[in-house]
Short mmCIF file of all heavy atoms in Angstrom, two decimals:
data_model
loop_
_atom_site.label_atom_id
_atom_site.label_comp_id
_atom_site.label_asym_id
_atom_site.label_seq_id
_atom_site.Cartn_x
_atom_site.Cartn_y
_atom_site.Cartn_z
N LEU A 1 264.34 132.56 33.01
CA LEU A 1 265.40 131.69 32.59
C LEU A 1 264.85 130.60 31.60
O LEU A 1 265.68 130.13 30.74
CB LEU A 1 266.02 130.94 33.79
CG LEU A 1 266.82 131.84 34.73
CD1 LEU A 1 267.31 131.00 35.98
CD2 LEU A 1 268.14 132.33 33.99
N THR A 2 263.59 130.20 31.73
CA THR A 2 263.14 129.13 30.92
C THR A 2 261.91 129.42 29.87
O THR A 2 261.58 128.69 29.13
CB THR A 2 262.66 128.03 31.83
OG1 THR A 2 261.60 128.44 32.76
CG2 THR A 2 263.88 127.53 32.79
N GLU A 3 261.30 130.67 30.22
CA GLU A 3 260.07 130.84 29.40
C GLU A 3 260.23 132.22 28.77
O GLU A 3 261.09 133.07 29.13
CB GLU A 3 258.91 130.80 30.31
CG GLU A 3 258.58 129.52 30.93
CD GLU A 3 257.51 129.54 31.96
OE1 GLU A 3 256.87 130.55 32.18
OE2 GLU A 3 257.21 128.51 32.56
N THR A 4 259.30 132.50 27.85
CA THR A 4 259.34 133.82 27.01
C THR A 4 257.93 134.33 27.11
O THR A 4 257.14 134.28 26.12
CB THR A 4 259.84 133.63 25.65
OG1 THR A 4 259.01 132.65 24.93
CG2 THR A 4 261.28 133.20 25.44
N PRO A 5 257.49 134.70 28.32
CA PRO A 5 256.07 135.18 28.36
C PRO A 5 255.89 136.51 27.77
O PRO A 5 256.78 137.31 27.57
CB PRO A 5 255.92 135.23 29.88
CG PRO A 5 257.24 135.63 30.43
CD PRO A 5 258.18 134.86 29.47
N THR A 6 254.65 136.75 27.36
CA THR A 6 254.21 138.10 26.80
C THR A 6 253.12 138.63 27.64
O THR A 6 252.28 137.87 28.31
CB THR A 6 253.81 137.95 25.35
OG1 THR A 6 252.61 137.16 25.27
CG2 THR A 6 254.88 137.45 24.54
N TRP A 7 252.92 139.98 27.66
CA TRP A 7 251.83 140.53 28.39
C TRP A 7 250.50 140.08 27.77
O TRP A 7 249.42 139.91 28.56
CB TRP A 7 251.97 142.12 28.39
CG TRP A 7 253.01 142.53 29.32
CD1 TRP A 7 254.15 143.19 28.94
CD2 TRP A 7 253.06 142.54 30.78
NE1 TRP A 7 254.90 143.49 30.06
CE2 TRP A 7 254.14 143.21 31.12
CE3 TRP A 7 252.03 142.04 31.72
CZ2 TRP A 7 254.48 143.22 32.45
CZ3 TRP A 7 252.44 142.11 33.05
CH2 TRP A 7 253.67 142.70 33.43
N SER A 8 250.40 139.87 26.63
CA SER A 8 249.16 139.42 25.97
C SER A 8 248.75 138.08 26.42
O SER A 8 247.58 137.84 26.62
CB SER A 8 249.24 139.45 24.50
OG SER A 8 250.26 138.68 23.96
N ASP A 9 249.73 137.26 26.59
CA ASP A 9 249.44 135.79 27.04
C ASP A 9 248.95 135.90 28.53
O ASP A 9 247.99 135.21 28.91
CB ASP A 9 250.69 134.96 27.07
CG ASP A 9 251.12 134.65 25.48
OD1 ASP A 9 250.22 134.66 24.64
OD2 ASP A 9 252.23 134.34 25.39
N ILE A 10 249.53 136.68 29.35
CA ILE A 10 249.12 136.84 30.80
C ILE A 10 247.81 137.53 30.84
O ILE A 10 246.99 137.07 31.62
CB ILE A 10 250.19 137.75 31.51
CG1 ILE A 10 251.64 137.03 31.57
CG2 ILE A 10 249.70 138.01 32.90
CD1 ILE A 10 252.71 137.87 32.25
N TRP A 11 247.52 138.43 29.95
CA TRP A 11 246.20 139.09 29.93
C TRP A 11 245.16 138.06 29.51
O TRP A 11 243.99 138.24 30.02
CB TRP A 11 246.28 140.31 28.99
CG TRP A 11 245.00 141.12 28.89
CD1 TRP A 11 244.07 141.00 27.89
CD2 TRP A 11 244.40 141.91 29.93
NE1 TRP A 11 242.92 141.85 28.22
CE2 TRP A 11 243.17 142.36 29.46
CE3 TRP A 11 244.81 142.25 31.25
CZ2 TRP A 11 242.40 143.26 30.31
CZ3 TRP A 11 244.10 143.14 31.93
CH2 TRP A 11 242.82 143.63 31.48
N ASP A 12 245.36 137.17 28.60
CA ASP A 12 244.45 136.15 28.15
C ASP A 12 244.11 135.25 29.30
O ASP A 12 242.87 134.77 29.35
CB ASP A 12 244.99 135.44 27.00
CG ASP A 12 245.14 136.20 25.67
OD1 ASP A 12 244.37 137.23 25.56
OD2 ASP A 12 245.88 135.84 24.74
N ALA A 13 245.10 135.04 30.21
CA ALA A 13 244.77 134.20 31.37
C ALA A 13 244.47 134.96 32.55
O ALA A 13 244.41 134.40 33.76
CB ALA A 13 246.08 133.36 31.48
N LYS A 14 244.01 136.15 32.43
CA LYS A 14 243.76 137.12 33.61
C LYS A 14 242.74 136.56 34.52
O LYS A 14 242.95 136.70 35.77
CB LYS A 14 243.38 138.53 33.15
CG LYS A 14 242.17 138.52 32.33
CD LYS A 14 241.91 139.94 31.80
CE LYS A 14 240.64 140.12 30.88
NZ LYS A 14 240.69 139.38 29.70
N ILE A 15 241.61 136.01 34.02
CA ILE A 15 240.56 135.64 35.00
C ILE A 15 241.00 134.46 35.76
O ILE A 15 240.75 134.36 37.05
CB ILE A 15 239.34 135.23 34.16
CG1 ILE A 15 238.80 136.45 33.40
CG2 ILE A 15 238.30 134.62 35.12
CD1 ILE A 15 237.52 136.13 32.57
N THR A 16 241.65 133.44 35.14
CA THR A 16 242.13 132.32 35.95
C THR A 16 243.25 132.65 36.92
O THR A 16 243.31 132.20 38.11
CB THR A 16 242.71 131.20 35.01
OG1 THR A 16 243.87 131.69 34.32
CG2 THR A 16 241.69 130.82 34.00
N ILE A 17 244.12 133.60 36.52
CA ILE A 17 245.29 134.03 37.40
C ILE A 17 244.61 134.80 38.59
O ILE A 17 245.11 134.67 39.72
CB ILE A 17 246.23 134.92 36.67
CG1 ILE A 17 246.96 134.05 35.59
CG2 ILE A 17 247.15 135.59 37.57
CD1 ILE A 17 247.94 134.76 34.69
N LEU A 18 243.70 135.77 38.33
CA LEU A 18 243.04 136.50 39.40
C LEU A 18 242.36 135.58 40.40
O LEU A 18 242.45 135.80 41.56
CB LEU A 18 242.12 137.47 38.83
CG LEU A 18 242.65 138.77 38.23
CD1 LEU A 18 241.55 139.44 37.46
CD2 LEU A 18 243.31 139.66 39.32
N TYR A 19 241.69 134.57 39.92
CA TYR A 19 240.95 133.64 40.83
C TYR A 19 241.94 132.85 41.73
O TYR A 19 241.80 132.78 42.88
CB TYR A 19 240.10 132.65 40.01
CG TYR A 19 239.25 131.87 40.86
CD1 TYR A 19 237.97 132.24 41.30
CD2 TYR A 19 239.68 130.48 41.25
CE1 TYR A 19 237.17 131.35 42.07
CE2 TYR A 19 238.89 129.68 41.96
CZ TYR A 19 237.62 130.14 42.38
OH TYR A 19 236.86 129.38 43.32
N ALA A 20 242.94 132.27 41.00
CA ALA A 20 244.00 131.53 41.68
C ALA A 20 244.78 132.47 42.70
O ALA A 20 245.09 132.05 43.81
CB ALA A 20 244.88 130.83 40.79
N GLY A 21 245.06 133.64 42.22
CA GLY A 21 245.88 134.54 43.12
C GLY A 21 245.16 135.09 44.27
O GLY A 21 245.75 135.10 45.33
N ALA A 22 243.97 135.58 43.99
CA ALA A 22 243.20 136.29 45.13
C ALA A 22 242.63 135.19 46.12
O ALA A 22 242.71 135.28 47.26
CB ALA A 22 242.10 137.16 44.51
N LEU A 23 242.00 134.13 45.56
CA LEU A 23 241.36 133.17 46.39
C LEU A 23 242.22 131.98 46.81
O LEU A 23 242.48 131.73 47.99
CB LEU A 23 240.00 132.66 45.67
CG LEU A 23 238.78 133.54 45.69
CD1 LEU A 23 237.65 132.80 45.05
CD2 LEU A 23 238.40 133.93 47.25
N SER A 24 242.80 131.30 45.84
CA SER A 24 243.54 130.17 46.13
C SER A 24 244.84 130.46 46.85
O SER A 24 245.31 129.83 47.81
CB SER A 24 243.97 129.34 44.80
OG SER A 24 244.64 128.18 45.04
N SER A 25 245.49 131.59 46.44
CA SER A 25 246.74 132.04 47.21
C SER A 25 246.39 132.94 48.33
O SER A 25 246.69 132.53 49.51
CB SER A 25 247.67 132.64 46.17
OG SER A 25 248.19 131.73 45.18
N GLY A 26 245.88 134.10 48.00
CA GLY A 26 245.80 135.14 49.01
C GLY A 26 244.85 134.64 50.23
O GLY A 26 245.26 134.74 51.37
N VAL A 27 243.69 134.10 49.91
CA VAL A 27 242.76 133.64 51.00
C VAL A 27 243.15 132.39 51.56
O VAL A 27 243.22 132.15 52.71
CB VAL A 27 241.27 133.66 50.48
CG1 VAL A 27 240.34 133.18 51.55
CG2 VAL A 27 240.86 135.08 50.13
N ALA A 28 243.24 131.32 50.65
CA ALA A 28 243.35 129.87 51.18
C ALA A 28 244.70 129.68 51.93
O ALA A 28 244.62 129.05 52.98
CB ALA A 28 243.26 128.92 49.92
N TYR A 29 245.74 130.11 51.32
CA TYR A 29 247.04 129.90 52.07
C TYR A 29 247.12 130.63 53.42
O TYR A 29 247.72 130.25 54.35
CB TYR A 29 248.24 130.24 51.17
CG TYR A 29 248.71 129.18 50.27
CD1 TYR A 29 248.31 129.32 48.87
CD2 TYR A 29 249.25 128.10 50.72
CE1 TYR A 29 248.71 128.23 48.03
CE2 TYR A 29 249.78 126.99 49.82
CZ TYR A 29 249.45 127.19 48.42
OH TYR A 29 249.75 126.18 47.66
N THR A 30 246.45 131.86 53.45
CA THR A 30 246.38 132.53 54.71
C THR A 30 245.53 131.82 55.75
O THR A 30 245.78 131.63 56.97
CB THR A 30 245.73 133.90 54.52
OG1 THR A 30 246.61 134.68 53.57
CG2 THR A 30 245.65 134.66 55.81
N LEU A 31 244.35 131.26 55.32
CA LEU A 31 243.48 130.43 56.21
C LEU A 31 244.30 129.11 56.58
O LEU A 31 244.11 128.69 57.78
CB LEU A 31 242.29 129.99 55.49
CG LEU A 31 241.22 131.13 55.21
CD1 LEU A 31 240.06 130.54 54.48
CD2 LEU A 31 240.70 131.64 56.59
N GLN A 32 245.14 128.70 55.71
CA GLN A 32 245.98 127.42 56.12
C GLN A 32 246.90 127.86 57.34
O GLN A 32 246.88 127.01 58.24
CB GLN A 32 246.91 126.95 54.99
CG GLN A 32 247.81 125.87 55.31
CD GLN A 32 248.93 125.58 54.31
OE1 GLN A 32 248.98 126.42 53.41
NE2 GLN A 32 249.70 124.66 54.47
N ILE A 33 247.59 129.00 57.21
CA ILE A 33 248.37 129.29 58.35
C ILE A 33 247.67 129.59 59.61
O ILE A 33 248.12 129.08 60.74
CB ILE A 33 249.26 130.59 57.91
CG1 ILE A 33 250.23 130.26 56.84
CG2 ILE A 33 249.97 131.16 59.11
CD1 ILE A 33 250.95 131.47 56.29
N LEU A 34 246.57 130.33 59.51
CA LEU A 34 245.71 130.60 60.66
C LEU A 34 245.09 129.35 61.23
O LEU A 34 244.97 129.11 62.45
CB LEU A 34 244.58 131.61 60.34
CG LEU A 34 245.07 132.97 59.88
CD1 LEU A 34 243.85 133.83 59.37
CD2 LEU A 34 245.72 133.78 61.03
N GLY A 35 244.65 128.45 60.30
CA GLY A 35 244.01 127.13 60.84
C GLY A 35 245.05 126.33 61.50
O GLY A 35 244.74 125.59 62.48
N GLN A 36 246.22 126.17 60.97
CA GLN A 36 247.29 125.31 61.54
C GLN A 36 247.73 125.74 62.89
O GLN A 36 248.31 125.04 63.72
CB GLN A 36 248.46 125.24 60.59
CG GLN A 36 248.31 124.12 59.48
CD GLN A 36 249.65 123.85 58.77
OE1 GLN A 36 249.75 123.91 57.59
NE2 GLN A 36 250.58 123.46 59.56
N LYS A 37 247.48 127.05 63.26
CA LYS A 37 247.75 127.56 64.58
C LYS A 37 246.84 126.87 65.64
O LYS A 37 247.10 126.76 66.81
CB LYS A 37 247.55 129.01 64.66
CG LYS A 37 248.79 129.86 64.19
CD LYS A 37 248.52 131.33 64.54
CE LYS A 37 249.75 132.23 64.31
NZ LYS A 37 249.48 133.57 64.67
N ARG A 38 245.68 126.37 65.14
CA ARG A 38 244.63 125.88 66.02
C ARG A 38 244.42 124.29 66.15
O ARG A 38 243.56 123.94 66.85
CB ARG A 38 243.26 126.61 65.70
CG ARG A 38 243.26 128.11 65.84
CD ARG A 38 242.10 128.80 65.08
NE ARG A 38 242.05 130.23 65.38
CZ ARG A 38 242.77 131.22 65.02
NH1 ARG A 38 243.72 130.83 64.16
NH2 ARG A 38 242.52 132.38 65.32
N THR A 39 245.24 123.78 65.27
CA THR A 39 245.00 122.23 65.25
C THR A 39 246.34 121.61 65.03
O THR A 39 247.32 122.24 64.69
CB THR A 39 243.99 121.87 64.12
OG1 THR A 39 243.67 120.40 64.37
CG2 THR A 39 244.49 122.12 62.73
N SER A 40 246.35 120.26 65.06
CA SER A 40 247.61 119.55 64.93
C SER A 40 247.99 119.40 63.36
O SER A 40 247.02 119.33 62.53
CB SER A 40 247.51 118.13 65.52
OG SER A 40 246.66 117.29 64.71
N PRO A 41 249.24 119.31 63.01
CA PRO A 41 249.65 119.17 61.65
C PRO A 41 249.08 117.84 60.92
O PRO A 41 248.79 117.82 59.75
CB PRO A 41 251.19 119.23 61.66
CG PRO A 41 251.55 118.89 62.96
CD PRO A 41 250.42 119.42 63.87
N ALA A 42 249.01 116.78 61.77
CA ALA A 42 248.48 115.53 61.15
C ALA A 42 247.04 115.72 60.72
O ALA A 42 246.66 115.31 59.63
CB ALA A 42 248.61 114.37 62.18
#
């Protein structure tokens, strides 16, 4: 709706996207859910 991305632009950012996607999203957010099961939200 708001952007006009191209595959070449995404490919140029592939390393940063892979790092953020695999580690920051895939690993870290999963650890957040698992960790919050074991401690208080505060």
Side-chain angles (χ1 to χ4, degrees):
L1 291 174
T2 63
E3 299 172 359
T4 55
T6 63
W7 285 113
S8 61
D9 292 336
I10 296 176
W11 182 254
D12 289 338
K14 60 183 180 297
I15 296 178
T16 66
I17 292 175
L18 282 171
Y19 185 84
L23 283 181
S24 183
S25 293
V27 175
Y29 275 106
T30 301
L31 286 176
Q32 177 194 3
I33 293 176
L34 295 174
Q36 278 194 233
K37 275 188 172 184
R38 295 164 169 80
T39 190
S40 69

